[in-house]
C-alpha cells in the first residue's frame, strides 16, 4: 500500500523474483531501484534516506538518485577524486487507489490501462495492515465473497449469510452486496448461532472485486446510501498456497450518525475499524457454499480469455518484510 512507503525510510519488496527497494524522494515521488548496492552487494533497503531525498547505502554510504538510478555520491572521496559513472536498475511503478503497482517485464510494454480502477478514496485517517494467510489465492477471494466473517472483521458489525442482491458486472468489476447488522458484542457473537438469525440488517457490505487479481474495494453502506467504512484490500498469491494480503481502511469522511461518531472516536484512539483474522478455520471454509464467488470466477475466466499476453506482467509488489 502507498501508505506503507514513508518518506523517512526505504522499504524492501519483491516483484517477479526481483528484490526491489521502494522509497520517496525529496518531492515525495515514489521510486523503485534494485535492492542491491553495486559496491559490496548489501541490500540498499538497509540504508537510509539523505536530506536531499536520495538513497544511501548503509555500509559505506554510496548514494543513489531514485529518478535515474545513478550513483551521485561517495563519502570519503579524497579531494580531486570523482564519483565513478555507475547506474543501478530502476523499475517502473505507479500509485493508483492507494496501491503501488509495478511492472515485472519489459518496460516498453508497460501499460497502465491494464490496472483496474477501483474507486477508493482514502479517508483522512487511515489504517494499514498486512496478513499472510494459509489459503490459496482463488479460495481467499471466494471466501471473501461467500463468507467474509471467515477472513475479515469490522468493528461493531456482523456479516449476515444472506446476500442482498444478485452479483453484477460494472466497469469490468464484479459487484456484490451482503446484508450486515450491528453487533457490539464483538467476537463472542461470532460463535453464538441464535444471534446470527436476527433479521435486522440496516447495512450492506458492498464489494467491488477485480477479475483474476481479486483486488477488492469494500464498503459498509448505510440504508440511506452513505458510506460508513471504506477498505482497500489487495491480495496476491504467495508461495505454497499462501495469500499475502495488504489492506488500508478508514471511517469514510462523509459518514454521519452515532455509529460513525463511535468509530471515529475509536480511530482517533488508534483502533482500526477493519482487521483481518489471523487464520482461516478450515472446517468453516469447507462448509461454505458458493453464493457470490461464482460470479467472480466466471468474470476471471472471461478476462483471461480476452486480455493480451503481456497483461500477466502486471502485479502488485509483494513485500518480503
Ligand atoms: S556496500 Fe554499499 S557502499 Fe559499500
Amino acid at each position: 500500500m502507498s501508505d506503507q512507503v514513508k518518506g523517512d525510510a526505504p522499504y524492501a519488496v519483491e516483484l517477479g523474483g526481483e528484490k526491489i527497494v521502494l522509497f520517496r524522494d525529496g518531492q515525495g515521488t515514489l521510486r523503485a531501484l534494485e535492492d542491491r548496492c553495486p559496491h559490496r552487494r548489501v541490500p540498499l533497503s538497509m540504508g537510509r534516506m539523505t536530506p536531499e531525498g536520495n538513497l544511501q547505502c548503509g555500509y559505506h554510504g554510496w548514494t543513489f538518485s531514485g529518478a535515474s538510478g545513478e550513483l551521485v555520491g561517495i563519502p570519503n572521496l579524497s579531494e580531486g577524486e570523482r564519483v565513478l559513472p555507475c547506474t543501478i536498475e530502476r523499475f517502473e511503478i505507479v500509485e493508483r487507489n492507494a496501491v503501488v503497482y509495478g511492472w515485472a517485464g519489459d518496460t516498453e510494454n508497460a501499460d497502465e490501462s491494464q490496472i483496474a480502477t477501483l474507486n477508493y478514496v482514502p479517508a483522512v485517517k487511515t489504517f494499514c495492515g498486512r496478513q499472510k494467510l494459509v489459503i490459496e489465492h482463488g479460495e481467499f477471494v471466494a471466501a471473501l465473497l461467500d463468507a467474509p466473517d471467515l477472513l475479515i472483521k469490522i468493528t461493531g458489525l456482523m456479516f449476515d449469510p444472506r446476500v442482498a442482491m444478485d452479483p453484477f458486472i460494472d466497469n469490468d468489476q464484479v459487484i456484490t452486496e451482503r446484508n450486515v447488522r450491528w453487533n457490539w458484542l464483538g467476537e463472542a457473537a461470532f460463535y453464538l448461532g441464535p444471534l446470527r438469525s436476527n433479521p435486522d440488517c440496516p447495512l450492506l457490505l458492498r464489494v467491488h472485486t477485480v477479475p483474476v487479481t481479486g483486488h477488492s474495494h469494500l464498503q459498509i453502506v448505510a440504508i440511506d446510501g452513505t458510506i460508513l467504512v471504506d477498505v482497500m484490500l489487495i491480495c496476491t498469491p504467495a508461495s505454497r498456497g499462501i495469500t499475502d494480503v495488504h489492506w488500508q481502511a478508514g471511517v469514510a469522511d462523509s459518514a454521519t450518525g452515532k455509529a460513525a461518531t463511535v468509530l471515529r472516536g475509536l480511530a482517533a484512539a488508534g483502533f482500526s475499524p477493519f482487521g483481518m483474522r489471523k487464520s482461516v478455520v478450515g472446517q468453516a471454509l469447507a462448509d461454505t457454499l458458493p453464493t457470490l464467488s461464482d460470479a467472480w470466477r466466471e468474470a476471471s475466466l472471461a478476462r483471461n480469455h480476452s486480455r493480451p499476453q503481456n497483461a500477466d506482467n502486471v502485479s502488485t509488489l509483494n513485500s518480503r518484510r
Side-chain angles (χ1 to χ4, degrees):
M1 306 304 297
S2 293
D3 274 9
Q4 288 169 313
V5 189
K6 311 283 188 204
D8 56 350
Y11 191 76
V13 296
E14 264 180 50
L15 175 67
E18 296 272 6
K19 305 255 191 277
I20 296 175
V21 54
L22 295 178
F23 58 96
R24 293 192 185 275
D25 65 16
Q27 281 70 49
T29 305
L30 198 63
R31 304 292 186 186
L33 298 176
E34 66 175 295
D35 192 9
R36 189 171 54 171
C37 179
H39 184 212
R40 295 277 170 82
R41 314 271 164 189
V42 170
L44 289 168
S45 54
M46 295 171 72
R48 68 179 191 96
M49 303 308 304
T50 66
E52 298 77 35
N54 293 319
L55 177 60
Q56 185 170 52
C57 178
Y59 201 179
H60 308 100
W62 285 27
T63 303
F64 299 87
S65 154
S68 62
E70 277 179 273
L71 176 64
V72 292
I74 301 179
N76 307 324
L77 281 185
S78 316
E79 199 158 322
E81 280 186 306
R82 286 188 304 116
V83 174
L84 294 173
C86 172
T87 303
I88 59 175
E89 193 172 358
R90 213 172 53 80
F91 294 86
E92 294 297 324
I93 50 170
V94 58
E95 289 183 272
R96 185 84 60 80
N97 302 309
V99 180
V100 181
Y101 291 87
W103 188 268
D106 183 350
T107 51
E108 282 184 13
N109 293 324
D111 180 2
E112 284 186 35
S113 69
Q114 291 176 9
I115 300 172
T117 301
L118 285 161
N119 191 26
Y120 171 72
V121 181
V124 170
K125 179 163 180 57
T126 59
F127 294 83
C128 283
R130 181 192 184 192
Q131 181 78 41
K132 283 189 171 182
L133 287 171
V134 183
I135 181 170
E136 186 269 330
H137 173 259
E139 290 299 329
F140 175 89
V141 182
L144 182 68
L145 299 178
D146 294 331
D149 48 5
L150 293 183
L151 303 176
I152 63 174
K153 46 195 175 180
I154 295 182
T155 306
L157 295 175
M158 176 175 277
F159 306 111
D160 195 274
R162 293 167 298 175
V163 302
M165 62 165 199
D166 287 335
F168 64 96
I169 308 272
D170 184 35
N171 194 24
D172 201 24
Q173 293 159 31
V174 181
I175 321 280
T176 57
E177 288 189 350
R178 174 177 299 282
N179 292 311
V180 177
R181 58 190 165 79
W182 294 113
N183 163 39
W184 292 102
L185 289 176
E187 291 293 286
F190 181 67
Y191 301 99
L192 299 176
L195 280 175
R196 308 187 74 169
S197 59
N198 184 337
D200 180 23
C201 293
L203 300 166
L204 291 173
L205 168 66
R206 181 180 296 148
V207 186
H208 295 238
T209 306
V210 178
V212 184
T213 65
H215 298 176
S216 294
H217 177 201
L218 287 67
Q219 296 171 310
I220 296 296
V221 187
I223 208 156
D224 63 0
T226 55
I227 311 296
L228 185 62
V229 175
D230 238 341
V231 183
M232 189 70 170
L233 188 148
I234 302 299
C235 49
T236 46
S239 57
R240 296 187 155 182
I242 296 191
T243 299
D244 197 2
V245 185
H246 286 78
W247 58 264
Q248 178 171 313
V251 181
D253 294 336
S254 57
T256 55
K258 285 184 196 151
T261 305
V262 171
L263 289 173
R264 265 200 203 100
L266 289 170
F271 295 99
S272 170
F274 175 88
M276 297 286 308
R277 297 198 181 277
K278 299 282 180 236
S279 60
V280 184
V281 180
Q283 188 61 56
L285 184 65
D287 292 343
T288 299
L289 294 173
T291 50
L292 298 171
S293 61
D294 283 349
W296 174 73
R297 290 194 191 280
E298 282 168 24
S300 300
L301 273 175
R303 176 87 188 270
N304 271 338
H305 285 137
S306 66
R307 69 183 186 162
Q309 201 63 38
N310 63 9
D312 290 333
N313 288 333
V314 176
S315 170
T316 47
L317 299 167
N318 282 321
S319 168
R320 61 183 160 88
R321 277 190 179 154

